[in-house]
Amino acid sequence: MARSYTSLDPVFPLVNGVRDLQGATLGAVADFDKDGKSTRAVATFLSSMPKAIFEAVKAEGLGKPSKEYNEFRYSGAKAGFFDMMSVDDLAKVLQTHIAQDGMSWSNPRKIGAKTLGAIARLLEAQNAVVENAVRFAYYRTAKSLGKSIAESASLAKNSTVNFNRRGTAAPQMGMVMLFFNPAMQGMVRTGQILLSKKAAGVIGAAMTGAFF
């Protein structure tokens, strides 16, 4: 059921992408505040986003990852919620299934389970790009500020919701409350950000500005 609200929702990448970008930006302030590099971290992270999006499209969409993106993958920083093939391969699979089902513009209802599955995987492809572009930009930012590959991977992995991280009660609570695990992670992450005086100040200024 959760997938119907997330990876299978065509609007979700836009909403989730904006939310992840905002959260990761505030996270950069908190994560690098103790090093005195928060301002530089935010500037580096935001300036890295265009290249990160380009690299994520190449890797997740076209199946042509760069050397640095492969390093990002193998370090464990990549989101583990999606199992992807390239968009070109997915498009070929989708065209094959549509032809087999006999679906056409004049007969759009004639669609089979395999075609629906291929469409679902295409939707998940665009989500994979959004999910990992933010993480990849964060990973590159951490490395540029002197963090090791392992440290950069950990920071990037947890810059947004870490789908591979859950407590022992998460499976049971997830059956009672949809998105329990992301909600709990969001609360913890917000608490971590608020512990940084500079990040708390940024949030306070933004909230104040919203009233004027």
Side-chain angles (χ1 to χ4, degrees):
M1 181 182 289
R3 291 176 67 199
S4 64
Y5 292 102
T6 55
S7 60
L8 300 183
D9 183 351
V11 181
F12 180 74
L14 176 61
V15 176
N16 188 54
V18 171
R19 182 172 55 226
D20 282 354
L21 182 61
Q22 291 174 336
T25 302
L26 287 171
V29 177
D31 289 340
F32 296 93
D33 190 12
K34 58 185 177 182
D35 299 331
K37 299 178 180 179
S38 57
T39 302
R40 184 181 168 192
V42 171
T44 304
F45 169 66
L46 293 177
S47 64
S48 294
M49 277 305 302
K51 179 175 176 58
I53 293 171
F54 175 73
E55 292 290 348
V57 170
K58 277 179 57 184
E60 306 299 337
L62 303 178
K64 299 177 180 178
S66 64
K67 182 179 178 180
E68 188 177 20
Y69 198 92
N70 269 333
E71 179 188 271
F72 161 76
R73 278 178 168 174
Y74 299 143
S75 69
K78 181 179 180 292
F81 190 65
F82 305 102
D83 181 20
M84 295 305 308
M85 66 169 70
S86 74
V87 168
D88 286 342
D89 290 338
L90 284 172
K92 291 176 183 177
V93 171
L94 177 59
Q95 288 171 353
T96 299
H97 293 324
I98 288 175
Q100 290 173 347
D101 291 337
M103 179 183 169
S104 65
W105 289 113
S106 60
N107 188 18
R109 293 184 179 181
K110 194 172 183 180
I111 182 170
K114 289 185 178 180
T115 301
L116 286 173
I119 292 173
R121 296 186 71 181
L122 277 170
L123 290 174
E124 289 184 335
Q126 65 177 0
N127 276 282
V129 170
V130 173
E131 283 284 343
N132 290 295
V134 173
R135 283 185 172 87
F136 185 52
Y138 211 93
Y139 176 79
R140 297 182 74 238
T141 297
K143 279 185 60 183
S144 72
L145 294 179
K147 300 294 183 182
S148 67
I149 290 177
E151 290 172 326
S152 300
S154 178
L155 287 169
K157 187 82 169 181
N158 294 288
S159 61
T160 64
V161 175
N162 182 352
F163 294 105
N164 300 124
R165 181 181 182 183
R166 61 183 61 212
T168 55
Q172 291 77 18
M173 291 301 298
M175 289 187 285
V176 178
M177 176 184 171
L178 198 61
F179 303 117
F180 171 79
N181 187 40
M184 290 302 296
Q185 287 196 47
M187 288 176 60
V188 171
R189 184 61 172 160
T190 300
Q192 292 172 340
I193 290 173
L194 289 175
L195 286 176
S196 164
K197 291 182 179 180
K198 184 170 287 188
V202 171
I203 295 173
M207 292 178 67
T208 301
F211 290 100
F212 296 96

Coordinates of all heavy atoms in Angstrom, one line a residue, residues 32 37 40-41 44 48 67-72 75 77 135-156:
F32 N 27.5 20.0 9.9 CA 28.8 20.6 9.8 C 29.0 21.9 10.7 O 30.0 22.5 10.6 CB 29.1 21.0 8.3 CG 29.1 19.8 7.4 CD1 28.0 19.4 6.7 CD2 30.3 19.1 7.2 CE1 28.0 18.3 5.9 CE2 30.3 18.0 6.4 CZ 29.2 17.6 5.7
K37 N 31.8 24.7 9.5 CA 31.8 24.7 8.1 C 30.4 24.7 7.5 O 30.1 24.3 6.4 CB 32.6 23.5 7.5 CG 34.0 23.4 7.9 CD 34.7 22.2 7.4 CE 36.2 22.1 7.7 NZ 36.8 20.9 7.2
R40 N 29.7 26.9 4.4 CA 30.4 26.4 3.2 C 29.7 25.1 2.8 O 29.5 24.8 1.6 CB 31.8 26.1 3.6 CG 32.6 25.6 2.4 CD 34.1 25.3 2.8 NE 34.8 24.5 1.8 CZ 36.0 24.0 2.0 NH1 36.6 24.1 3.1 NH2 36.6 23.3 1.0
A41 N 29.2 24.3 3.8 CA 28.5 23.0 3.4 C 27.3 23.3 2.7 O 27.0 22.6 1.7 CB 28.2 22.3 4.7
T44 N 28.1 24.5 -0.9 CA 28.6 23.4 -1.7 C 27.5 22.4 -2.1 O 27.5 22.0 -3.2 CB 29.7 22.7 -0.9 OG1 30.8 23.6 -0.5 CG2 30.4 21.6 -1.8
S48 N 26.1 21.8 -5.8 CA 26.4 20.4 -6.4 C 25.1 19.8 -6.9 O 25.2 18.7 -7.6 CB 26.9 19.5 -5.2 OG 28.2 19.9 -4.8
K67 N 32.3 7.2 -12.5 CA 33.2 6.5 -11.5 C 32.8 7.0 -10.1 O 32.8 6.1 -9.1 CB 34.7 6.8 -11.8 CG 35.6 6.2 -10.8 CD 37.1 6.5 -11.2 CE 38.0 5.9 -10.2 NZ 39.5 6.2 -10.6
E68 N 32.6 8.3 -9.9 CA 32.2 8.8 -8.6 C 30.9 8.3 -8.1 O 30.7 8.0 -6.9 CB 32.3 10.3 -8.6 CG 32.1 10.9 -7.2 CD 32.2 12.4 -7.1 OE1 32.0 13.0 -8.2 OE2 32.4 13.0 -6.1
Y69 N 29.9 8.2 -9.0 CA 28.6 7.7 -8.7 C 28.7 6.2 -8.2 O 28.0 5.8 -7.3 CB 27.6 7.8 -9.8 CG 26.2 7.8 -9.4 CD1 25.5 8.9 -9.0 CD2 25.5 6.6 -9.3 CE1 24.2 8.9 -8.6 CE2 24.2 6.5 -8.9 CZ 23.5 7.7 -8.5 OH 22.2 7.6 -8.1
N70 N 29.5 5.4 -8.9 CA 29.7 4.0 -8.5 C 30.3 4.0 -7.1 O 30.0 3.1 -6.3 CB 30.6 3.3 -9.5 CG 29.8 2.6 -10.6 OD1 28.6 2.3 -10.4 ND2 30.4 2.5 -11.8
E71 N 31.3 4.9 -6.8 CA 31.8 4.9 -5.5 C 30.8 5.2 -4.5 O 30.7 4.6 -3.4 CB 32.9 6.0 -5.5 CG 33.6 6.2 -4.1 CD 34.5 7.4 -4.1 OE1 35.7 7.3 -4.4 OE2 34.0 8.5 -3.7
F72 N 29.9 6.2 -4.8 CA 28.7 6.5 -4.0 C 27.9 5.3 -3.7 O 27.4 5.0 -2.6 CB 28.0 7.6 -4.7 CG 26.6 7.9 -4.2 CD1 26.3 8.5 -3.0 CD2 25.5 7.5 -5.0 CE1 24.9 8.7 -2.6 CE2 24.2 7.7 -4.6 CZ 23.9 8.3 -3.4
S75 N 29.7 2.5 -1.6 CA 30.0 2.9 -0.2 C 28.7 2.7 0.7 O 28.8 2.8 1.9 CB 30.3 4.4 -0.2 OG 29.2 5.3 -0.5
A77 N 25.8 4.5 0.3 CA 25.1 5.8 0.5 C 23.8 5.8 -0.3 O 22.9 6.5 0.1 CB 26.0 7.0 0.1
R135 N 21.1 12.7 -2.2 CA 22.1 12.0 -1.4 C 23.5 12.1 -2.1 O 24.5 12.3 -1.4 CB 21.7 10.5 -1.3 CG 20.6 10.2 -0.3 CD 20.4 8.7 -0.2 NE 19.5 8.3 0.9 CZ 18.2 8.3 0.8 NH1 17.7 8.5 -0.4 NH2 17.5 8.0 1.8
F136 N 23.5 12.0 -3.4 CA 24.8 12.1 -4.1 C 25.4 13.5 -3.9 O 26.6 13.6 -3.7 CB 24.6 11.8 -5.6 CG 25.9 11.8 -6.4 CD1 27.0 11.0 -5.9 CD2 26.0 12.5 -7.5 CE1 28.2 11.0 -6.7 CE2 27.2 12.5 -8.2 CZ 28.3 11.7 -7.8
A137 N 24.6 14.6 -3.9 CA 25.1 15.9 -3.7 C 25.6 16.0 -2.3 O 26.7 16.7 -2.1 CB 24.0 16.9 -4.0
Y138 N 24.9 15.4 -1.3 CA 25.4 15.5 0.1 C 26.7 14.7 0.2 O 27.6 15.1 1.0 CB 24.3 14.9 1.0 CG 24.2 15.5 2.3 CD1 23.4 16.5 2.6 CD2 25.0 15.0 3.4 CE1 23.3 17.1 3.9 CE2 24.9 15.5 4.6 CZ 24.1 16.6 4.9 OH 24.0 17.1 6.2
Y139 N 26.8 13.6 -0.5 CA 28.0 12.8 -0.4 C 29.2 13.5 -0.9 O 30.3 13.6 -0.3 CB 27.8 11.5 -1.2 CG 29.0 10.6 -1.4 CD1 29.3 9.7 -0.3 CD2 29.7 10.6 -2.5 CE1 30.4 8.9 -0.5 CE2 30.8 9.7 -2.7 CZ 31.1 8.9 -1.6 OH 32.2 8.0 -1.8
R140 N 29.0 14.2 -2.1 CA 30.1 15.0 -2.7 C 30.5 16.2 -1.8 O 31.7 16.5 -1.7 CB 29.7 15.5 -4.0 CG 29.4 14.4 -5.0 CD 29.1 14.9 -6.4 NE 30.3 15.4 -7.1 CZ 30.4 16.7 -7.5 NH1 29.4 17.5 -7.4 NH2 31.5 17.1 -8.2
T141 N 29.5 16.7 -1.1 CA 29.7 17.9 -0.2 C 30.6 17.4 1.0 O 31.6 18.1 1.3 CB 28.4 18.4 0.3 OG1 27.6 19.0 -0.8 CG2 28.6 19.5 1.3
A142 N 30.2 16.3 1.6 CA 30.9 15.8 2.8 C 32.4 15.5 2.4 O 33.3 15.8 3.1 CB 30.2 14.6 3.3
K143 N 32.6 14.8 1.2 CA 33.9 14.5 0.8 C 34.8 15.8 0.6 O 35.9 15.8 0.9 CB 33.9 13.7 -0.5 CG 33.6 12.2 -0.3 CD 33.7 11.4 -1.6 CE 35.1 11.5 -2.2 NZ 35.2 10.8 -3.5
S144 N 34.1 16.8 0.0 CA 34.9 18.0 -0.3 C 35.3 18.8 0.9 O 36.2 19.6 0.9 CB 34.0 18.9 -1.2 OG 33.0 19.5 -0.5
L145 N 34.6 18.5 2.0 CA 34.9 19.1 3.3 C 35.7 18.3 4.2 O 35.8 18.5 5.4 CB 33.6 19.5 4.0 CG 32.7 20.6 3.3 CD1 31.4 20.8 4.0 CD2 33.5 21.9 3.1
G146 N 36.4 17.3 3.6 CA 37.4 16.5 4.4 C 36.9 15.2 5.0 O 37.7 14.6 5.7
K147 N 35.6 14.8 4.8 CA 35.1 13.6 5.4 C 35.6 12.4 4.6 O 35.9 12.5 3.4 CB 33.6 13.6 5.4 CG 33.0 14.7 6.3 CD 33.3 14.6 7.7 CE 32.6 15.7 8.5 NZ 32.9 15.6 10.0
S148 N 35.8 11.3 5.3 CA 36.2 10.0 4.6 C 35.0 9.5 3.8 O 33.9 10.0 3.9 CB 36.6 9.0 5.6 OG 35.5 8.5 6.4
I149 N 35.3 8.5 2.9 CA 34.3 7.9 2.1 C 33.2 7.3 3.0 O 32.0 7.5 2.8 CB 34.8 6.8 1.2 CG1 35.7 7.5 0.1 CG2 33.7 6.0 0.6 CD1 36.3 6.5 -0.8
A150 N 33.6 6.6 4.1 CA 32.7 6.0 5.0 C 31.8 7.0 5.7 O 30.6 6.9 5.9 CB 33.4 5.1 6.0
E151 N 32.5 8.1 6.2 CA 31.7 9.2 6.9 C 30.8 9.9 5.9 O 29.6 10.2 6.3 CB 32.7 10.2 7.5 CG 33.5 9.7 8.7 CD 34.6 10.6 9.1 OE1 35.2 11.3 8.2 OE2 34.9 10.7 10.3
S152 N 31.2 10.1 4.7 CA 30.4 10.8 3.7 C 29.2 9.9 3.4 O 28.1 10.5 3.2 CB 31.2 11.1 2.4 OG 32.3 11.9 2.7
A153 N 29.4 8.6 3.2 CA 28.3 7.7 2.9 C 27.3 7.7 4.0 O 26.1 7.7 3.8 CB 28.9 6.3 2.7
S154 N 27.7 7.7 5.3 CA 26.8 7.7 6.4 C 26.0 9.0 6.5 O 24.8 8.9 6.7 CB 27.6 7.5 7.7 OG 26.7 7.5 8.8
L155 N 26.7 10.1 6.3 CA 26.0 11.4 6.3 C 25.0 11.5 5.1 O 23.8 11.9 5.3 CB 27.0 12.5 6.2 CG 27.8 12.8 7.4 CD1 29.0 13.8 7.1 CD2 27.0 13.4 8.5
A156 N 25.4 11.0 3.9 CA 24.5 11.1 2.8 C 23.3 10.1 3.0 O 22.2 10.5 2.6 CB 25.3 10.7 1.5

